[in-house]
Amino acid sequence: MTVQGQPDFPAEFLFGSATSAYQIEGGVREGGRTPSIWDTFAHTPGKVLAGDTGDVAVDHYHRWREDIDLMSDLGLQVYRFSVSWSRVQPTGRGPAVQQGLDFYRSLVDGLLEKNITPWLTLYHWDLPQELEDAGGWPERATAERFAEYATLVADALGDRVVHWTTLNEPWCSAFLGYASGVHAPGRTDQAASLRAAHHLNLGHGLGVQALRAALPARAKVGVSLNPAVPRAKTDSPGDVDAERRIMALANGVFEGPMLHGAYPADLISDTASITDWSFVQDGDLATAHQPLDALGVNYYSPLLVSTVEGTDEVERRDGHGASEHSPWPGADKVAFHRPTGVPITEMGWPVDPTGMEELLLRLTREAPGLPLYITENGMAAEDKVGLDGTVNDTDRIAYLHGHLGAVRDAMAQGADVRGYFLWSLLDNFEWAYGYSKRFGTVYVDFDSQERTPKASARWYADLIRSRTLPPAE
Ligand code: FCB
């Protein structure tokens, strides 16, 4: 609902766009960088569609100046990017490589010159391979390594970056990486995935402490989660239980420790046949529970769930890629369904902005006083360059219109949302789907690397200028 005569978004609300290192940079062997788990995974036959890799990606490592010009043309106020750990600390241990830090220093300076605020994520899934060889996130030591890496980056960039994010979507790191194996490092061990989840919580807490110790007092520190919005298919007890289980496995597992200092009791009992959680040591939950300045929320789509009875086959349209191994430890009987009557994106994800509003209101109730930022939202579409050279992505405009409207409506009901980052600035390497899924508001020809802003980029620029949602048509 728009209030007559007032803009939809207040003057201080930040509009930006988001990317991540492995998805855009390329330059994987330059400046002393060594492989991360995503380099190894992408080069393993059969793991990524069409054998695509991030070796070149969209060549942002060389074209970052041009990309900043694009952001500036669109009027972006803030830019969310991630640092490649293997670029700044190639083995995941020891001193930083100056060339790696210099790349991010130049990028940040380039942004600041154009009045674009840098928003830095330390970890967007690309663990240095050597740390995976030493056991990866299921090992406690990885959390300690992460805090050391946080200190290196904070020492180098703390004078010019104010906004810091520890982890991006730890759910994907733990459960797609170690349980279903559709993401790097591709392991399929449910017990290991729960250990990974805990060490990500611990790494976040140690990382926040390291950042606070190294950064000036004005720094803002947060984390980006991808909370699920599960909805029971019917009100039968079985379906309601499915919703409860996914709430615990997707949300409580990180929100519990990070926001409240405890794992939910039902998470522990639902996973009791897989682990006894004895890897949680005294003091870990207090460490994970650090005061935060911002909670990053990544939202794309809700999940429609039910419980399967007896030996019926479980349908798993959870949108997280095909694997015979489930990323949901302790939820073997939960089925995921595609709803009818709503558009479905190229990822197979239903378009439903009501999930955004519901999620923001839930987080407002559960973490009162914590400012929220939408750190990712957007859609993959089958974008094509027309004969006139333009890309008319009307479905993406409709998606953005709906979801930004939901953000505005949640704010009107009291949600303290302070910014929105569109995923993504550029078409890029979409993980296991390679280059087959286009999420950008700027089209990239992956052969020539030519960039063409799509219609949605112009629409977004209009919104940023006017602070009021332009029509979707
Ligand atoms: C999120 C990831 C991001 C991108 C979008 C589509 O889960 O954080 O890198 O792949 O999904």
Side-chain angles (χ1 to χ4, degrees):
M1 202 197 348
T2 304
V3 181
Q4 281 299 328
Q6 274 180 31
D8 289 330
F9 296 93
E12 59 282 4
F13 189 93
L14 293 174
F15 285 106
S17 192
T19 63
S20 88
Y22 190 70
Q23 295 182 273
I24 63 166
E25 284 182 4
V28 292
R29 279 175 282 275
E30 290 182 55
R33 185 185 179 283
T34 55
S36 75
I37 54 175
W38 267 97
D39 296 84
T40 309
F41 189 76
H43 280 274
T44 306
K47 298 296 186 192
V48 174
L49 206 69
D52 289 345
T53 73
D55 286 5
V56 177
V58 294
D59 199 31
H60 174 75
Y61 186 69
H62 300 110
R63 294 170 196 262
W64 58 270
R65 286 186 188 81
E66 183 191 335
D67 291 338
I68 292 175
D69 288 342
L70 271 171
M71 296 178 212
S72 178
D73 288 349
L74 297 177
L76 298 191
Q77 300 172 284
V78 51
Y79 172 56
R80 173 175 183 249
F81 64 98
S82 80
V83 171
S84 155
W85 188 341
S86 343
R87 201 180 281 297
V88 307
Q89 193 195 31
T91 61
R93 290 190 181 81
V97 167
Q98 284 311 313
Q99 243 181 302
L101 290 173
D102 285 346
F103 170 70
Y104 295 106
R105 248 187 229 116
S106 309
L107 174 72
V108 164
D109 288 348
L111 291 165
L112 293 172
E113 265 167 42
K114 300 274 186 185
N115 276 323
I116 301 169
T117 302
W119 188 285
L120 185 154
T121 299
L122 285 167
Y123 187 74
H124 200 124
W125 308 352
D126 44 357
L127 190 70
Q129 182 61 43
E130 294 205 18
L131 294 185
E132 175 58 25
D133 296 343
W137 285 109
E139 283 300 317
R140 189 176 178 88
T142 302
E144 291 156 10
R145 296 292 81 74
F146 175 71
E148 292 163 10
Y149 155 68
T151 301
L152 294 181
V153 183
D155 284 345
L157 299 175
D159 58 345
R160 54 199 92 184
V161 175
V162 174
H163 299 277
W164 295 74
T165 299
T166 53
L167 307 174
N168 173 70
E169 302 192 358
W171 187 86
C172 297
S173 299
F175 298 105
L176 302 182
Y178 293 94
S180 72
V182 298
H183 279 185
R187 283 162 63 179
T188 52
D189 174 346
Q190 294 199 331
S193 73
L194 292 164
R195 286 203 309 278
H198 179 63
H199 297 134
L200 284 153
N201 280 317
L202 182 63
H204 160 78
L206 295 171
V208 174
Q209 288 176 339
L211 290 174
R212 300 262 188 230
L215 293 172
R218 65 182 176 134
K220 304 279 185 209
V221 179
V223 63
S224 282
L225 302 178
N226 56 321
V229 181
R231 290 169 172 172
K233 195 159 184 249
T234 72
D235 55 12
S236 74
D239 292 358
V240 170
D241 186 64
E243 179 182 310
R244 179 197 62 71
R245 276 174 197 266
I246 298 306
M247 267 301 213
L249 280 166
N251 304 338
V253 64
F254 297 108
E255 291 171 25
M258 290 182 186
L259 304 181
H260 310 294
Y263 284 108
D266 58 344
L267 173 71
I268 306 293
S269 54
D270 289 348
T271 54
S273 65
I274 301 165
T275 180
D276 61 4
W277 294 80
S278 55
F279 44 81
V280 180
Q281 297 185 8
D282 282 355
D284 284 4
L285 290 164
T287 302
H289 184 205
Q290 295 296 316
L292 298 177
D293 304 305
L295 178 61
V297 179
N298 297 357
Y299 172 82
Y300 291 91
S301 189
L303 291 170
L304 187 60
V305 298
S306 69
T307 292
V308 161
E309 305 295 341
T311 55
D312 283 1
E313 183 110 345
V314 171
E315 186 185 358
R316 213 160 48 67
R317 284 183 187 273
D318 57 10
H320 294 299
S323 166
E324 53 191 290
H325 301 277
S326 164
W328 303 103
D332 322 331
K333 291 290 175 194
V334 176
F336 296 82
H337 308 273
R338 183 171 286 183
T340 49
V342 297
I344 305 288
T345 74
E346 274 291 287
M347 294 295 281
W349 300 350
V351 177
D352 187 347
T354 65
M356 172 77 96
E357 184 175 334
E358 182 181 327
L359 172 58
L360 292 172
L361 295 176
R362 177 178 74 77
L363 291 171
T364 299
R365 284 192 304 274
E366 292 186 18
L370 183 57
L372 306 176
Y373 289 83
I374 309 302
T375 40
E376 287 183 26
N377 177 242
M379 72 172 275
E382 212 188 333
D383 301 316
K384 294 262 181 345
V385 183
L387 289 175
D388 60 354
T390 66
V391 183
N392 200 12
D393 55 341
T394 47
D395 40 4
R396 182 171 291 102
I397 293 174
Y399 181 98
L400 298 173
H401 187 274
H403 286 76
L404 279 152
V407 173
R408 174 201 56 202
D409 293 349
M411 288 165 73
Q413 293 165 76
D416 182 9
V417 188
R418 309 244 179 125
Y420 175 94
F421 296 79
L422 198 163
W423 184 274
S424 183
L425 176 68
L426 303 161
D427 290 336
N428 62 43
F429 176 82
E430 178 46 38
W431 309 112
Y433 295 94
Y435 297 98
S436 69
K437 306 288 181 217
R438 295 181 176 274
F439 270 94
T441 48
V442 174
Y443 184 93
V444 180
D445 177 322
F446 296 122
D447 296 321
S448 68
Q449 298 292 352
E450 194 187 335
R451 275 94 161 120
T452 307
K454 304 176 191 177
S456 60
R458 300 290 166 216
W459 181 90
Y460 194 48
D462 279 354
L463 164 64
I464 300 173
R465 215 173 305 117
S466 66
R467 318 202 70 80
T468 292
L469 284 173
E473 297 299 314

